[in-house]
Amino acid sequence: MTSLPDDIESQYNPRKAVANVEAFAERAAARSAATRASRRARLGLRYGASPLSTLDVFPADTPDAPLHVFLHGGYWRGRDKGDYSYVADALVPLGITTVVMNYDLCPAVELPAIVRQVREGLQWIHAHARELGGDPAHLTASGHSAGAHLIAAALPLQGEPAPAWMPRAAVLVSGIYELQPVLSISVNQEIRLRPEQVDAMSPMRHPPTAAVPLVVVAGGAETASWVGQSRDFAKQCVAAGGQAAYVELPGLHHYSIMNALERPEDTLARLIAAYARA
């Protein structure tokens, strides 16, 4: 019989659940390099003082376009904005100025500092929206994996004032929203999440404001626990009075789900565009 710690590892470490993970990273890197070579872009803009407080902007063809911010995954301790430039190929043709944002990584910083940094980044993007080619009144956000968690954790909580920088909607892809299991998996050697941080850093326990509609997305081929977190988080948000829809994409796992954000006709691109252009 599988021991409980091993089961947690297999359920909550996507690298244990998916074979040939590097092939997906190589695909993303190649597509992203092609995007940067072919599209207008402003690369490496700085939004804060910390080392990775930088972002890349891929402007739409028209000024004051809807503005969308994407946050990468990597379990808060890996990956880079440059791995996800290809998101612009899905959104810019739909008339959406696309921002791909970096953030500092564990263990150089701790998770609460990253959440604060994401708030800082969203605030900076909102304040500079016009010069980036976007409309601050049409700011939306999305993230994959750790990026989905960071957006959920950075949003104001139920009952808190709605700041001007708050996105008008967010699409959360394959996120983790209850962090207790992270304490028991091997990657926490790098994340260094501490038990006393789990409560504040778990959006499942503290649903974000009802003022931001959420689309919580999971792949049907992800582990049962990962799918369950997305489904439960959407339910928890609704139970708390929020707006949240759960969407499951059949046959896609934790890495292949990002293939649905490569072209304008892809599922995630259409989901994002429905809110960005509303």
Side-chain angles (χ1 to χ4, degrees), residues 2 16 19 26 49 52 78 81 91-92 99 113 152 198 208 211-212 219-220 228 245 256 267 274:
T2 304
K16 300 291 186 181
E26 291 166 5
L52 292 179
K81 60 180 173 55
L91 300 180
V92 171
V99 179
V198 168
V212 180
S256 62
T267 304

Side-chain angles (χ1 to χ4, degrees), residues 215-230:
V215 182
V216 186
V217 185
E222 300 197 75
T223 64
S225 294
W226 210 281
V227 172
Q229 282 227 5
S230 291

Side-chain angles (χ1 to χ4, degrees), residues 24 39 43 46 51 60-61 69 112 119 152 188 227 229 240 252:
F24 293 94
R39 291 198 177 277
L43 304 178
R46 180 158 291 281
D61 290 336
V69 183
R119 292 190 188 115
N188 200 39
V227 172
Q229 282 227 5
L252 299 182

Side-chain angles (χ1 to χ4, degrees), residues 142-257:
S142 67
H144 173 241
S145 194
H149 163 270
L150 289 170
I151 292 170
L155 291 175
L157 301 181
Q158 295 277 8
E160 291 184 348
W165 55 261
M166 188 175 68
R168 58 188 291 160
V171 177
L172 310 179
V173 183
S174 295
I176 182 168
Y177 309 103
E178 168 54 59
L179 270 56
Q180 184 69 30
V182 176
L183 298 175
S184 301
I185 60 176
S186 58
V187 293
N188 200 39
Q189 295 174 11
E190 295 174 83
I191 300 167
R192 298 182 185 176
L193 181 70
R194 302 195 305 275
E196 63 269 24
Q197 296 172 323
V198 168
D199 180 74
M201 290 293 101
S202 293
M204 190 82 76
R205 307 185 192 190
H206 308 283
T209 175
V212 180
L214 304 177
V215 182
V216 186
V217 185
E222 300 197 75
T223 64
S225 294
W226 210 281
V227 172
Q229 282 227 5
S230 291
R231 186 184 297 116
D232 291 348
F233 180 57
K235 289 179 179 178
Q236 190 78 351
C237 291
V238 171
Q243 305 177 66
Y246 172 68
V247 175
E248 191 169 307
L249 302 186
L252 299 182
H253 57 62
H254 194 74
Y255 299 97
S256 62
I257 197 167

Side-chain angles (χ1 to χ4, degrees), residues 65-69 97 99 121-127 129 134-141 164-170 212 275-276:
L67 186 60
H68 186 78
V69 183
T97 290
V99 179
L122 291 171
Q123 185 174 8
W124 188 93
I125 292 164
H126 181 270
D135 179 357
H138 283 79
L139 173 66
T140 56
W165 55 261
M166 188 175 68
R168 58 188 291 160
V212 180
Y275 287 90

